[in-house]
Amino acid sequence: CNKKLTSSNSESQSQSPTPAPLTQSDASIRQLSSLEHDEVKTLTAVYDLICFLIHSGENFLNQFCDAIEILGVKELFVNFINAVRTNDGYVKLSCSILAVLNCALRELPENAEIIEQVVFHDNVDLIQMLKHGDSILRHRTCMLLRILARFSCLALQKHWNNEIKESLESLLEDRNLEVKTEAQCALDEFKYLSFIAAETAC
């Protein structure tokens, strides 16, 4: 009986066409601009939960970093972060994404390349994020730069420009104390980078 079932199953499998692998277009995600307000709130809540979980233990953080690579969602993170350029409704979501990336880079620096591919993407404007009207976004962007200076200094060097430094320096006068403090911490971290020290010496 078992043999018969196995034979029958193998015949049906051989007759069934092999499904084609999913392509980017097959698995396309709706344009962020088409999402309803409640959908954005739901997305934000999901990433707030992810943020809580990865701060709760390294095991989940490891799994999350693996999932980013396996599922290929780096472009999705880029789109989430980039959305604040045109829609303030995505600020909280972007802040949650930054908190996740900051934690991943700080706790598991061996995954730095994954984080770098997101935050140094052409569509991610770090300068605009430092100048954004939301203090939490400014704060977490300062934190990101500080952590990058410590764990991804080579990648930071490739994308470094004086505007980043000047934007951070302007935040030393920020009305928000936490932003001001984090900007100072980032600038202090930069002092240990040889390529910035060389610029200062010149």
Side-chain angles (χ1 to χ4, degrees), residues 41-198:
K41 286 179 64 177
T42 301
L43 267 176
T44 303
V46 168
Y47 280 98
D48 281 345
L49 175 59
I50 291 173
C51 187
F52 171 78
L53 290 172
I54 68 169
H55 281 84
S56 299
E58 191 174 298
N59 187 42
F60 186 87
L61 179 56
N62 270 309
Q63 294 177 2
F64 180 76
C65 290
D66 289 343
I68 293 176
E69 191 64 35
I70 293 169
L71 299 177
V73 295
K74 286 175 283 192
E75 192 75 27
L76 180 63
F77 285 176
V78 168
N79 291 336
F80 284 158
I81 296 172
N82 187 44
V84 298
R85 298 171 66 175
T86 55
N87 190 335
D88 284 343
Y90 289 93
V91 169
K92 288 185 177 180
L93 177 58
S94 296
C95 287
S96 296
I97 297 294
L98 284 179
V100 169
L101 298 179
N102 286 344
C103 181
L105 183 56
R106 182 181 64 247
E107 301 299 328
L108 296 175
E110 61 268 27
N111 290 302
E113 186 176 353
I114 297 174
I115 312 303
E116 292 163 6
Q117 289 172 0
V118 175
V119 300
F120 290 129
H121 192 280
D122 289 342
N123 289 338
V124 174
D125 190 339
L126 293 173
I127 304 299
Q128 187 185 52
M129 290 159 65
L130 288 170
K131 296 179 178 180
H132 197 276
D134 186 86
S135 60
I136 297 177
L137 185 60
R138 295 197 305 276
H139 178 267
R140 291 188 179 170
T141 306
C142 290
M143 185 180 294
L144 171 66
L145 288 167
R146 173 174 59 80
I147 299 172
L148 285 168
R150 179 168 297 187
F151 297 111
S152 295
C153 56
L154 292 179
L156 181 61
Q157 181 176 3
K158 291 177 183 177
H159 296 84
W160 177 257
N161 58 65
N162 281 331
E163 194 174 0
I164 295 177
K165 184 181 178 183
E166 291 169 0
S167 297
L168 278 170
E169 288 174 341
S170 70
L171 292 179
L172 297 178
E173 305 298 326
D174 197 273
R175 61 186 179 276
N176 184 286
L177 180 59
E178 290 185 353
V179 173
K180 185 187 301 186
T181 302
E182 191 59 46
Q184 183 63 65
C185 289
L187 288 168
D188 289 343
E189 193 70 41
F190 288 167
K191 293 176 183 177
Y192 297 102
L193 301 180
S194 58
F195 65 93
I196 296 179

